[in-house]
Amino acid sequence: MNQVLEETGWTTVCTIGDIVPEAGVCALVDGEQVAVFRVGGELYAIDNVDPCSGAAVLSRGLVGSLGERVVVASPIHKQHFDLRTGECLETPRHAVRTWRVRRQGDGVQVGRGGA
Ligand code: FES
């Protein structure tokens, strides 16, 4: 009853200081694991589960860039996912979902529905 309701659709998952620059963290949003990354001052969010292995590991992958694309490499098979689109670069028909992500003050918020 005394709960402060947030704007519909957004979940505060951590503070900006919880995410080491050029790395990711795992967050739980509506019971689903989301990998949230802070790269070059931008925030990105994709599913945390690697479609290849089924393991929830993408938040622990190495981030970097391939050409114009900002990517994370899966720790398991090293395939790359575009953090903006979720596309797997090695096999484009594999993709993970993207999530909306934004900064509100010190808070990092994730929302459903792709960026
Ligand atoms: S997710 Fe396995 S190669 Fe793309």
Side-chain angles (χ1 to χ4, degrees), residues 47-68:
D47 286 340
N48 191 38
V49 174
D50 170 10
C52 249
S53 63
V57 292
L58 294 183
S59 67
R60 302 207 305 267
L62 284 180
V63 295
S65 50
L66 283 177
E68 299 284 291

Side-chain angles (χ1 to χ4, degrees), residues 15-89:
T15 67
I16 191 71
D18 292 331
I19 314 179
V20 175
E22 315 311 312
V25 297
C26 177
L28 205 57
V29 180
D30 293 342
E32 298 197 64
Q33 286 197 32
V34 181
V36 182
F37 299 92
R38 179 179 174 188
V39 185
E42 298 284 330
L43 291 168
Y44 303 92
I46 63 173
D47 286 340
N48 191 38
V49 174
D50 170 10
C52 249
S53 63
V57 292
L58 294 183
S59 67
R60 302 207 305 267
L62 284 180
V63 295
S65 50
L66 283 177
E68 299 284 291
R69 307 177 95 164
V70 183
V71 299
V72 62
S74 169
I76 309 281
H77 296 299
K78 312 297 181 205
Q79 81 278 22
H80 299 87
F81 295 92
D82 186 317
L83 292 184
R84 293 190 186 96
T85 65
E87 184 185 321
C88 167
L89 270 58

